[in-house]
Amino acid sequence: MSTPDIEAMEAVIDFLRKCNRSVDTIDWDSDLIDARILDSLTFVEFLLLMEEFSGGPIDLGTTDVANFRTLNRISAFLTKAGTHEQP
């Protein structure tokens, strides 16, 4: 993972911890929605954070929500989004 990817994932983890203060650690393969770490009320704010790091809007009509269910999937999504930003 590159430094920007690490910084993005640290920000994602910090955001998730702030959303659910009872969570100390988050397993990278845990389903964030099923574990109630990420809920529908915070998902919109979470998407804004993802848009900031991905460099553009996220169209949920063409993006699978499964991309945001685990930290590993989020990291892969951001890595893939970063490759599309380059001309």
Side-chain angles (χ1 to χ4, degrees), residues 58-76:
I58 297 172
D59 180 2
L60 289 179
T62 60
T63 303
D64 190 349
V65 175
N67 289 321
F68 309 114
R69 292 188 80 91
T70 70
L71 292 175
N72 279 322
R73 289 181 182 177
I74 293 167
S75 179

Side-chain angles (χ1 to χ4, degrees), residues 1-10:
M1 229 187 290
S2 68
T3 301
D5 294 337
I6 292 170
E7 291 173 3
M9 288 309 298
E10 286 175 352

Side-chain angles (χ1 to χ4, degrees), residues 2-20:
S2 68
T3 301
D5 294 337
I6 292 170
E7 291 173 3
M9 288 309 298
E10 286 175 352
V12 167
I13 292 168
D14 287 344
F15 173 84
L16 293 171
R17 284 187 182 141
K18 287 177 186 174
C19 291
N20 191 334

Side-chain angles (χ1 to χ4, degrees), residues 16-83:
L16 293 171
R17 284 187 182 141
K18 287 177 186 174
C19 291
N20 191 334
R21 298 219 184 259
S22 66
V23 173
D24 290 329
T25 60
I26 303 170
D27 184 288
W28 280 65
D29 290 317
S30 291
D31 189 309
L32 301 172
I33 297 169
D34 285 348
R36 300 188 192 278
I37 296 170
L38 184 61
D39 62 24
S40 60
L41 296 175
T42 56
F43 193 72
V44 173
E45 190 176 347
F46 175 75
L47 282 178
L48 292 174
L49 179 67
M50 292 295 90
E51 288 178 345
E52 180 181 325
F53 286 113
S54 69
I58 297 172
D59 180 2
L60 289 179
T62 60
T63 303
D64 190 349
V65 175
N67 289 321
F68 309 114
R69 292 188 80 91
T70 70
L71 292 175
N72 279 322
R73 289 181 182 177
I74 293 167
S75 179
F77 174 83
L78 291 174
T79 299
K80 183 178 177 184
T83 61

